[in-house]
Each structure stands twice: as structure tokens, then as C-alpha cells.
Amino acid sequence: MSMVYSEDDRMLADTAEEFLSAQSPVAAQRALRDKPTAVNFDEKIWQQMLELGWGAITFPEELGGLDFGYKGMGAIFEAMGKHLSASPMLSSVTLCGSLLQQLANAEQQTWLTAIMSGEKRLALAVDEHARHDPDSMQTTVTTAVDGFVLNGKKTMVIDGVSPDGWIVAAQHNAGCSVFIVPFSEQVKVKRLNLIDARNYAELTFNDLKLPAEALLGDAGNSLKALQQALDLGRLCLSAEMLGAIKALFNMTIEYLKVREQFGVKIGTFQALQHRAARCYVELELAQSCVIAALSDADKADANLASSASLAKWKLSKVADLISGEAVQMHGGIGVTDELDIGLYLKRIRVAQMCLGDADYHQARFAALAP
């Protein structure tokens, strides 16, 4: 198992770094926070990302993708985390794209083609409670004469405001089914305002009629595909958090080198050196977990569920450590809006919660153990 990025992955990461530093720096996310838009990401920059081929990286060539693999995708998410770049890469490309790749028939594949090109955008609706728990869905679908009827409520739908449609998971035929639900005024959409100032929605379905072709895959038999998509999303979120905490760590080290107290640089204080050294070791371990899990995502016989939960757990714990140390080592200024630390901290806290927090993945990892 490779524990480092390949040369091709690094080239992709360098391209992402160059593009995001120029077009989507942290200042752009600050501007979106202060003057929010309808979708809370820059749609022009999103289209430029797709023009670079980012939407097609993980999909096979026969579906119109680049077949580059998830290590390449992880390198891009790491760069996005470093610059706090907001985009629908996670929601539309990774989560919904993966489900379409696994379950869509020939006609439904047009959605995947549209996602890769940027012509369409989808959002995945799974969670129904404050805490992530895809095994306890109460949204239901009943079979009608000419299709289906959907009832229920979804929350924490990432990029769920103003997409072209949603992929909705629901109880159906004593199992789990997923449906493509095109944007409609019949779906009640409520914007959720979270501390990272991004796009989240709560959806309500009241006797929403769906045509038969809305069903993805076999009725009542989509839980495995859904878990696969969620695990890939967890990996991408872990890679994003890795980029964010790397940025925080580097900012903190630079501050220790220049900040003076009692006439000397605070980086010479042994207690702070020990704390920084601990952060460095934990950061290296976290990176190894992420790259190993991304490698597993590209292998058909790997235990993706375990490696994804391990990565999400480890990154969440290390993010707690490094974000806390970044605030403390900067002292009073670390809690002001003048520095970007607070922006990173808020995004990290939401990313830790999304698709399962540390407690969820610790329990899941233990349950998956042989």
C-alpha cells in the first residue's frame, strides 16, 4: 500500500494549488461569508474547476471520465481544504456521482455526464437528525400506479439549496431505495445557516409524486451502494480537513518564529516546542491514514468501510488537537476575526460533524472489525 502521493497525484495537487491560490484563496471564502449568495459558492470558479477536469477525475473512461483514481481526488480536496474553497465537489461529484456510477441505467447516465461537465448539479439527501445516522431513515416511499409517492424530511443536505435535483434515500420495500428528485416547487426547501457559511438545506416531501424512472437501481436494494458513496465522501472530507489542519499548523509554526515575548521568540520556549512536535507527529499519522484510505478506494477488494471510518475518526481527533493549539499559541489574537484561524476552525468543526463525527466512526470501526 502506497502511503504517499504518486508523481501524477502531486502534479494534480500542484495544479490545484496554483489554481486555488489564484482564484479561490481564503479571502474569497471570507467574502462569501460577509456577502452570502444564493448557493454560497462562486459559480464561475466552480465552472473553471470542471473545465480543469476535476468533475471527471474518478469516473471510468467508458462513462466519459478520466479514470485518475481517488488519490488524485484526495490531492484536490486537500488543496481545497488549505484554501477553504467552497464548491459542490463533495455533494455533486463524489456523493451523487458515485451513486449514479453504481446504480444508473443508460438513460439515467445522462445525469452523470451532466454532473461531470457542470451542466447539472445534484445534492444527496440522507440525514434526518442532528447526528449522522443513515441506518435510521424514516422517510418513506410507497408504490403508486404510475410511479412512487415520497414522504418525509431530510436535513443537513450539503449544497441542497438551488440544485438541479436531489438524490433522496428512503425506506422502500423493506429496504433502502434511492431516487432522483428533480428540482420542484413541491419540495419545501429551508436554508440552514451553519458556522462555516456554506450551502446546507432542510428538505420536506409531502406526498411528492415521482415517475417510475426516478428509481435508481433495484427497489429496496441500494443500501450497499449508498454506504459506498458515503465512504467515498468521508474520504474526501478527511482529505479536506487534512489540508485545513496543515494550513493551521504552518500558520502556527510561522507565528512561533516571529512572535516575541520577554524579548525572545516564543518558538524558543521548550514547552511550546514540545506541543508543536506532538502536533507534527499526529499530523503525519493523520496523513498516512488518509492516503492509505484513498488507496483502498481505488482497489476492488479493499475494506473501504473500515479504512474510511479510521481516516474520518483520526482526522477529526487530530483536527481537534491542531485547531485548539493554533488558537492557544496565537494567544488573544487567535480568537479575533482579524486572523483566518477562526474561518478554518469553523469549517473544520462542520466537516468533523458531516457524514459522521469521531464517535460515530469509532463505533463503526469497532463494529466492522473481524
Side-chain angles (χ1 to χ4, degrees), residues 28 43 94 133 160 191 199 214 249 263 282 288 292 299 307 370:
E43 295 183 88
T94 302
D133 188 6
R191 178 184 292 276
N199 179 339
F249 179 74
E282 292 295 329
S288 295
K299 299 175 183 176
S307 57

Side-chain angles (χ1 to χ4, degrees), residues 161-182:
V161 177
S162 300
D164 296 286
W166 303 272
I167 293 183
V168 181
Q171 289 184 19
H172 183 220
N173 283 13
C176 172
S177 293
V178 290
F179 299 84
I180 299 176
V181 180

